[in-house]
Amino acid sequence: MLTSYRYEEYQMNKTILNEPQQPSISQFLDTGVRHYSVTHPQHKAITNAILSDLIIDCNIPLSFVEKKSFRHFLSVLDSKYSPVCRRTLTAKTESLTEERRLKLKTQLSITDHVSVTVDIWSDRKKRGFLGVTVHWVEKDAERIQLKTNLLACNRFKGSHTAERICDQFEAICDEYDIKATLDYIISDNAANMRKAFTVCFPSEQEDDGDDPELWCDLTLEDQQTVDAAMAKKQRLQCFAHALQLVVGDGLKETKVVCPSLSKLSKLSSLLHTSTTFKDLFDDEFGEQKGIPAAVKTRWNSTLRQVKAVLQCDHLKLCAVLEKARHKDLSFSPREWNLLKELVDILKPFGEATDLTQGEKVITISAVVPSVLSLNHHLEKPKPQVRFLSGLVRSLQTSLKKRFLGIFINVKMAQSQEGITAPFSDTIYLKAAALEPAFALLWVEPHVLVSRDIKAEVAQRVKELILQDAAETDPPVPLPDEEEDIGEGEGLFAAYYKRQKRDVGTTPGWPSESWQWLHLVLQWSEFSAMVASFCVPIVLK
């Protein structure tokens, strides 16, 4: 009986074994996941996204990828992805840099005209850097696009002499082979910068000290080619830097405002260093209120600082300062009114600075309208100015000195023989006239000369444009993309109102350059005529 039972159990087990096997317990509990290979498309996509979107665009250090929390995040995001190490990412960064450098060189090799901006600055550790940015226009069958790219941001060791700046700049130009197509160099007005580009690209007037035998081995045709290439490179001053110097000159010559600004600077510093005073200030004005610190190299940071303190109630601020035992930083009624006057006077300068810091649009077209509008703003009688009339005079004197070339070109000043005035390049006039937002609207209200001379200025601008157009291809319309620079009262209030009224009335784009230019200039004249009767220029 027992033997029979065992045999039946054996037969039953044999039948089970012949059936398809079920997963074993060990197989069921095995949670191991097969990872992507390094050549898998998903692995590549995640790694490239980490590099381009996280490390480069978000400016996160490479060491971030080795943090335990970040690796855990990746395992939750995709358990099949093997986190990349820092060394691999460094190698990919170098490879990507070289790839983009080659792509940029290819783009620049098929471009006929480029301009560059150059600057030297120091970080908080007093390490010097030389930055060079290139700007050009990329054309295709239907549109043109403004392009900007960083060529170099190199460590600059040692003294910042003109010769050393010139050597590094030339090396960068040679690396990207842009010397032959380089039209304009924009830099600040520092003496070493001016001299550096005189050394790099000397003009005929600045070559008096060179050996005349230097070019003796050239034919006449080659001589003319070299001369044209050397004369072609022109250095343009940074408008924002020149405006910074104008405001600096005005404040330097106006001693009456210095004590108030000194108090304001100490108040801002106290707000950022004393927790006790910060608590008292927040209790009275709220945590959202604050007074930003001013930066010496950014004059508009002082303007923002003054605006911030004026948003506080004067009496309440004095009470907070007295409670915190800093009564010496309280503003008297006279000092408070002086700060209000300062804002009224400098507000248009702040608008001009902000306007010319756009990244997606050409801003050189705003230089002439800005300078002439600022001069008109300072020229007007200001009955509300009681304490800072000296500041108004100093600002206007400095404005006319540092932008003398513009005033000479519009016949509001006399040229001086043998001296090249700053901002005398006619490109500023042409850029303003070809900008639909400005056109020739600035001539009538802001060129403070007789009507006949205004007509001469307008005619000269047209002739300059037509002269250039005769040597260029027909223009291609830009896409309808603009940076919002504000509306309402301010430096260019009349222009905004005129633009709003003229929506949809922009002339077409004929194929012949001279026809297009005539239409643009005729439209500009008509708009200016209407604006002169209907739209007063309002500056506050």
Side-chain angles (χ1 to χ4, degrees):
M1 186 117 183
L2 182 60
T3 305
S4 176
Y5 173 79
R6 292 293 185 187
Y7 178 79
E8 290 175 359
E9 184 179 8
Y10 166 77
Q11 291 293 339
M12 185 176 62
N13 288 340
K14 184 178 179 182
T15 303
I16 294 174
L17 289 174
N18 289 335
E19 294 178 356
Q21 292 188 3
Q22 299 294 320
S24 63
I25 294 177
S26 61
Q27 289 176 328
F28 182 80
L29 296 176
D30 184 11
T31 58
V33 179
R34 298 182 64 181
H35 292 278
Y36 299 127
S37 66
V38 292
T39 59
H40 192 281
Q42 182 67 4
H43 186 279
K44 288 183 176 181
I46 296 176
T47 302
N48 291 336
I50 291 173
L51 177 59
S52 59
D53 299 335
L54 199 63
I55 303 299
I56 296 176
D57 288 350
C58 297
N59 198 25
I60 292 177
L62 289 168
S63 58
F64 182 77
V65 298
E66 295 185 342
K67 291 184 177 293
K68 184 178 180 180
S69 300
F70 178 68
R71 289 177 170 266
H72 176 261
F73 166 78
L74 289 177
S75 67
V76 174
L77 185 68
D78 191 338
S79 58
K80 294 182 180 181
Y81 177 74
S82 300
V84 65
C85 68
R86 178 178 181 175
R87 182 176 298 178
T88 301
L89 214 56
T90 301
K92 284 185 172 292
T93 303
E94 295 171 353
S95 176
L96 181 62
T97 301
E98 186 59 31
E99 178 185 329
R100 293 192 177 182
R101 183 181 288 115
L102 292 174
K103 182 180 178 181
L104 178 58
K105 288 180 179 179
T106 303
Q107 289 177 313
L108 295 176
S109 67
I110 57 176
T111 303
D112 297 329
H113 302 276
V114 300
S115 295
V116 297
T117 52
V118 186
D119 196 13
I120 288 185
W121 71 95
S122 301
D123 64 5
R124 294 181 179 179
K125 296 182 179 180
K126 300 301 179 183
R127 297 175 299 183
F129 293 88
L130 174 68
V132 181
T133 308
V134 64
H135 314 270
W136 75 98
V137 173
E138 190 172 273
K139 304 177 183 179
D140 58 30
E142 298 180 355
R143 57 186 288 179
I144 61 175
Q145 287 183 304
L146 303 177
K147 294 288 185 178
T148 298
N149 216 303
L150 180 68
L151 292 184
C153 183
N154 298 338
R155 183 79 164 82
F156 196 95
K157 296 182 179 180
S159 57
H160 297 179
T161 62
E163 290 76 12
R164 298 188 70 248
I165 295 172
C166 178
D167 289 342
Q168 283 213 21
F169 177 75
E170 284 193 317
I172 294 168
C173 289
D174 289 338
E175 180 183 359
Y176 289 91
D177 195 21
I178 60 172
K179 265 194 172 182
T181 56
L182 182 56
D183 290 331
Y184 290 98
I185 303 167
I186 295 89
S187 70
D188 60 31
N189 204 32
N192 57 354
M193 281 292 188
R194 294 201 309 271
K195 185 178 178 182
F197 299 113
T198 301
V199 173
C200 286
F201 306 111
S203 63
E204 292 179 2
Q205 292 83 357
E206 296 163 332
D207 276 347
D208 295 336
D210 286 346
D211 184 358
E213 301 295 324
L214 183 63
W215 306 106
C216 281
D217 57 331
L218 297 179
T219 64
L220 178 60
E221 183 179 355
D222 289 340
Q223 174 77 53
Q224 292 173 346
T225 302
V226 171
D227 288 344
M230 293 176 71
K232 182 183 175 184
K233 281 73 176 177
Q234 300 185 54
R235 188 190 75 87
L236 299 180
Q237 297 180 29
C238 174
F239 174 74
H241 182 256
L243 211 58
Q244 159 88 18
L245 297 177
V246 169
V247 177
D249 292 342
L251 294 177
K252 193 184 303 180
E253 295 297 324
T254 312
K255 304 298 183 184
V256 67
V257 77
C258 291
S260 300
L261 292 179
S262 177
K263 278 187 179 182
L264 182 55
S265 178
K266 292 176 182 177
L267 175 60
S268 175
S269 177
L270 183 65
L271 196 58
H272 289 87
T273 56
S274 172
T275 55
T276 303
F277 181 73
K278 173 66 174 172
D279 291 339
L280 292 173
F281 186 89
D282 289 347
D283 290 341
E284 184 63 51
F285 299 105
E287 294 184 359
Q288 302 302 319
K289 286 275 188 178
I291 302 175
V295 182
K296 288 184 178 180
T297 56
R298 298 289 182 270
W299 79 267
N300 50 347
S301 65
T302 301
L303 180 61
R304 285 194 292 269
Q305 193 179 60
V306 176
K307 285 182 177 180
V309 76
L310 289 177
Q311 289 177 357
C312 302
D313 183 270
H314 181 206
L315 296 178
K316 289 182 179 180
L317 180 61
C318 291
V320 170
L321 288 167
E322 186 173 0
K323 188 175 181 180
R325 298 181 181 179
H326 289 286
K327 190 176 180 180
D328 56 311
L329 297 182
S330 297
F331 296 96
S332 67
R334 182 179 184 276
E335 290 173 331
W336 195 257
N337 289 327
L338 187 147
L339 292 177
K340 288 182 178 180
E341 281 189 18
L342 185 65
V343 170
D344 289 339
I345 294 169
L346 294 184
K347 184 179 178 181
F349 285 84
E351 290 181 41
T353 301
D354 294 339
L355 177 66
T356 51
Q357 292 178 341
E359 295 181 356
K360 298 180 181 178
V361 294
I362 296 174
T363 56
I364 192 172
S365 57
V367 171
V368 169
S370 294
V371 171
L372 296 180
S373 297
L374 290 172
N375 180 67
H376 184 261
H377 162 68
L378 297 172
E379 192 80 28
K380 291 191 306 181
K382 292 179 173 50
Q384 74 275 19
V385 175
R386 299 170 52 200
F387 307 108
L388 297 179
S389 56
L391 174 62
V392 174
R393 290 192 298 271
S394 297
L395 287 171
Q396 190 169 23
T397 300
S398 181
L399 187 74
K400 290 183 175 179
K401 173 186 174 184
R402 296 193 180 276
F403 296 95
L404 179 60
I406 290 176
F407 290 99
I408 291 174
N409 284 335
V410 298
K411 300 185 182 298
M412 290 176 61
Q414 297 294 324
S415 60
Q416 301 176 7
E417 187 176 354
I419 298 178
T420 302
F423 290 88
S424 59
D425 197 305
T426 56
I427 190 174
Y428 297 108
L429 298 177
K430 293 180 283 189
L434 291 175
E435 168 60 62
F438 302 126
L440 293 175
L441 289 171
W442 46 272
V443 175
E444 180 60 33
H446 294 153
V447 177
L448 307 180
V449 293
S450 67
R451 188 169 295 276
D452 291 341
I453 296 179
K454 289 180 182 181
E456 291 179 16
V457 171
Q459 183 61 31
R460 179 169 179 260
V461 174
K462 298 175 190 177
E463 291 173 355
L464 289 169
I465 295 172
L466 292 171
Q467 183 180 351
D468 284 353
E471 304 171 358
T472 59
D473 296 328
V476 182
L478 278 168
D480 295 330
E481 295 178 3
E482 293 183 0
E483 283 194 349
D484 182 13
I485 55 177
E487 292 188 7
E489 304 299 336
L491 195 64
F492 301 125
Y495 302 150
Y496 303 139
K497 293 174 184 176
R498 197 273 305 170
Q499 256 188 317
K500 197 171 183 180
R501 186 176 65 254
D502 290 345
V503 170
T505 62
T506 306
W509 302 84
S511 57
E512 295 84 359
S513 296
W514 67 271
Q515 289 180 345
W516 167 72
L517 285 166
H518 275 303
L519 284 173
V520 170
L521 295 171
Q522 287 170 6
W523 176 54
S524 302
E525 288 178 337
F526 174 76
S527 300
M529 179 183 68
V530 174
S532 65
F533 286 100
C534 303
V535 185
I537 302 296
V538 180
L539 283 174
K540 284 191 174 183

